[in-house]
Amino acid sequence: MMVPAALLLLGALTAVLAPRLLARADWPDREPVVALWVWQCVVAAVLLCCALSMTLSAAAAWQAVRGHVFAPAPSAVVEAYALGVGGSWAATTAVTLACGGLWTGAMLVREVARARARRRQRRAELLVRSPLLPGEETGNDRLVILEGERPDAWWLPGTAPRLVITTAALRRLKGRQLDALLAHEQGHAQARHDWLLHCSGALAGGFPQVPVFAAFRDEMHRLVELAADDMASRRFGRLTTALALVELNEDRGVFGPCPTPHTQVPQRVNRLLTPPDRLTAGRRLRLTAAAALVPAVPVIVAVVPGLRALG
């Protein structure tokens, strides 16, 4: 029972230390795409620790599970894990972690169902505000223009994704600013940022007392916007993208002293106007490779006793 306990301890340490290290680092804002990858690897490592600990605990508690998990393994490998020790603690750990896994799956299903319900509602509202003309058939138009006094634009994902933009936004955005806005929204769609937000929201909603999942959700919402800003600025310039953000959000009071739901917009504008130095290609590659190794650590911890027995 030492390996399942070590895996749980490793998962707890990863959940506590990794968010703190990332919060102190100065490179996530400079390289949001790399930061997105690192966060995914950290959360995957935490979940993998729990899954492996559950599997080994179940193998220690029940002979039937042990037979499936260690079916092709020699007896020396099975003895190396000391699965006969643990008794009720092994069963309790396995059942608790299994319930956590089922709850995670249920939360993800709920999050996806809610997102689809919101999309259906917004599509219904879109049809009311932009009805089909007599004789017109529903098509797969990717751009929808709405009459509106408030400048706004949003990407509506789904089987037939659409970019919705109001006439007020068309009047306010000049020249390449509209192109930068379109590139920003297309960046979200191409990178499938909606699925990142679904997964992080499911984990944070299902386990609100676990800080790493709440931090994961908050950082996903922030980093996907930075990544989309960078995609737009690479094509149309940082100044143009910043001006498009200002034009879209100026009437919402986001640049005033009072906090609003869009408090990140001024920070995004400042970041675009005063761009930090990007990391070198070599350092980005090293960070990406190091992050990819994080989920491999639980696997190594889980297989070390078996490898020693075979060695």
Side-chain angles (χ1 to χ4, degrees):
M1 280 298 291
M2 289 299 296
V3 177
L7 287 169
L8 288 179
L9 180 60
L10 176 62
L13 288 175
T14 305
V16 172
L17 296 179
R20 294 184 179 181
L21 293 175
L22 288 171
R24 293 177 182 177
D26 62 347
W27 60 263
D29 285 358
R30 300 157 64 185
E31 299 292 344
V33 175
V34 178
L36 286 170
W37 169 250
V38 172
W39 268 104
Q40 292 175 72
C41 291
V42 167
V43 173
V46 173
L47 297 178
L48 195 56
C49 285
C50 295
L52 291 173
S53 180
M54 176 196 69
T55 302
L56 293 176
S57 297
W62 298 292
Q63 182 66 37
V65 178
R66 189 183 313 172
H68 286 289
V69 174
F70 292 94
S75 58
V77 173
V78 181
E79 294 172 358
Y81 285 89
L83 297 177
V85 182
S88 60
W89 285 105
T92 302
T93 303
V95 170
T96 302
L97 292 174
C99 290
L102 291 174
W103 182 249
T104 302
M107 290 298 101
L108 181 58
V109 171
R110 186 188 71 170
E111 184 70 22
V112 173
R114 286 181 174 179
R116 288 181 176 177
R118 288 193 298 268
R119 283 204 302 268
R120 285 194 298 267
Q121 182 180 0
R122 298 191 77 171
R123 288 182 184 275
E125 295 173 352
L126 187 62
L127 190 59
V128 171
R129 296 181 62 185
S130 179
L132 297 177
L133 298 175
E136 184 181 3
E137 296 181 359
T138 304
N140 292 326
D141 299 330
R142 297 176 66 87
L143 178 63
V144 179
I145 300 175
L146 291 181
E147 278 287 343
E149 297 299 325
R150 187 174 191 176
D152 202 359
W154 65 90
W155 185 263
L156 194 60
T159 53
R162 295 179 177 181
L163 175 63
V164 184
I165 186 168
T166 63
T167 53
L170 291 178
R171 288 192 297 267
R172 299 199 66 167
L173 297 176
K174 301 174 180 62
R176 292 164 62 87
Q177 295 175 11
L178 180 60
D179 296 330
L181 171 65
L182 297 177
H184 176 98
E185 297 300 335
Q186 288 170 357
H188 285 312
Q190 292 173 4
R192 299 307 304 267
H193 287 159
D194 53 326
W195 277 104
L196 276 179
L197 300 181
H198 292 334
C199 294
S200 60
L203 289 171
F207 303 94
Q209 304 302 322
V210 181
V212 66
F213 295 148
F216 179 50
R217 176 195 55 197
D218 295 342
E219 284 298 290
M220 289 302 99
H221 280 274
R222 189 178 70 88
L223 291 171
V224 296
E225 295 298 335
L226 299 185
D229 287 344
D230 286 350
M231 182 170 291
S233 65
R234 281 195 292 270
R235 293 179 59 186
F236 301 101
R238 288 183 170 270
L239 179 59
T240 302
T241 307
L243 290 175
L245 277 175
V246 172
E247 293 292 345
L248 275 182
N249 295 279
E250 189 175 13
D251 294 340
R252 299 178 182 179
V254 299
F255 298 102
C258 299
T260 68
H262 304 277
T263 52
Q264 292 182 2
V265 174
Q267 301 172 6
R268 290 166 56 193
V269 172
N270 291 333
R271 176 178 176 272
L272 288 168
L273 295 178
T274 56
D277 295 331
R278 293 196 64 187
L279 301 181
T280 62
R283 188 175 178 189
R284 291 199 301 270
L285 181 61
R286 288 194 296 271
L287 282 172
T288 302
L293 292 176
V294 174
V297 175
V299 178
I300 294 173
V301 171
V303 301
V304 160
L307 293 177
R308 286 182 175 176
L310 292 175

